[in-house]
Amino acid sequence: MKIQVLVRLKNGVLDPQGKAVEKSALKMGFEGFKNFRIGKIIEFESNLPKNKAIEEAKKLADKLLSNPVIESYEVKVEE
Amino acid sequence: MKIQVLVRLKNGVLDPQGKAVEKSALKMGFEGFKNFRIGKIIEFESNLPKNKAIEEAKKLADKLLSNPVIESYEVKVEE
């Protein structure tokens, strides 16, 4: 089973990286896009039973993969 | 419309960051997970018609958001 943890900056947290990408996109002539936000995607495999894997993945996301002060995360499972 | 571009290292490309996370997870007692891969998720908004937005997002991913030599990308649209 493959697990995806998507880590994003919380709403309201400034995203300088996103701003930089937005500026570059505009300079390159891409005008149809705005409000860029950059995050991380951490993918890994597990042989644990599905519910146990999700529970453990959330603990891992809390303790290692994200900074709870400024980031939120979402756990997805691909069978 | 919200667009997601998921940028991953291509298969076979070494992922030292993923290895480091795997090692830390093991040290913290998370034993049910392996083969960690770290990628980027770039999210942005668009008012373009859906097909045009996807087409432009792919061009943007090719030219700015990913390094085609070592990375692949996936474009997703959230209505």
Side-chain angles (χ1 to χ4, degrees), chain A residues 2 4 10 12 16 20 22-23 25 27 31 39-40 46 52-53 62 74-75 79:
Chain A
K2 194 167 167 182
Q4 262 186 6
K10 287 182 177 174
E22 187 154 346
K23 237 172 149 184
K27 264 190 205 156
E31 285 161 5
K40 292 175 288 194
S46 180
K52 177 72 174 162
D62 269 323
E74 184 186 347
V75 176
E79 305 287 343

Side-chain angles (χ1 to χ4, degrees), chain A residues 55-71:
Chain A
E55 193 191 308
E56 287 293 297
K58 283 181 177 172
K59 278 188 211 161
L60 184 64
D62 269 323
K63 290 182 179 172
L64 180 64
L65 305 179
S66 73
N67 172 352
V69 175
I70 58 167
E71 291 174 328

Side-chain angles (χ1 to χ4, degrees), chain A residues 2-4 6-8 17 21-22 24-25 28-48 52-54 56-57 59-60 63-65 74 76 78, chain B residues 2-4 6-8 17 21-22 24-25 28-48 52-54 56-57 59-60 63-65 74 76 78:
Chain A
K2 194 167 167 182
I3 299 177
Q4 262 186 6
L6 302 165
V7 178
R8 298 181 175 90
Q17 214 182 352
V21 169
E22 187 154 346
S24 303
M28 294 168 77
F30 293 96
E31 285 161 5
F33 305 133
K34 58 178 179 166
N35 298 338
F36 284 74
R37 303 283 286 179
I38 314 295
K40 292 175 288 194
I41 173 169
I42 301 105
E43 295 175 306
F44 46 93
E45 290 160 23
S46 180
N47 295 322
L48 296 172
K52 177 72 174 162
I54 291 172
E56 287 293 297
K59 278 188 211 161
L60 184 64
K63 290 182 179 172
L64 180 64
L65 305 179
E74 184 186 347
K76 291 185 182 177
E78 282 177 42
Chain B
K2 195 167 167 183
I3 299 176
Q4 264 185 7
L6 303 163
V7 178
R8 299 179 174 91
Q17 214 182 352
V21 169
E22 188 155 344
S24 303
M28 294 169 77
F30 293 96
E31 284 160 4
F33 306 133
K34 58 178 181 168
N35 297 339
F36 284 74
R37 302 283 286 179
I38 315 294
K40 292 175 288 195
I41 173 168
I42 302 103
E43 295 176 305
F44 46 94
E45 291 161 21
S46 180
N47 295 324
L48 296 171
K52 176 73 174 162
I54 292 172
E56 286 293 296
K59 279 188 211 161
L60 184 65
K63 289 182 179 173
L64 179 65
L65 305 180
E74 184 187 345
K76 291 186 183 177
E78 283 177 40

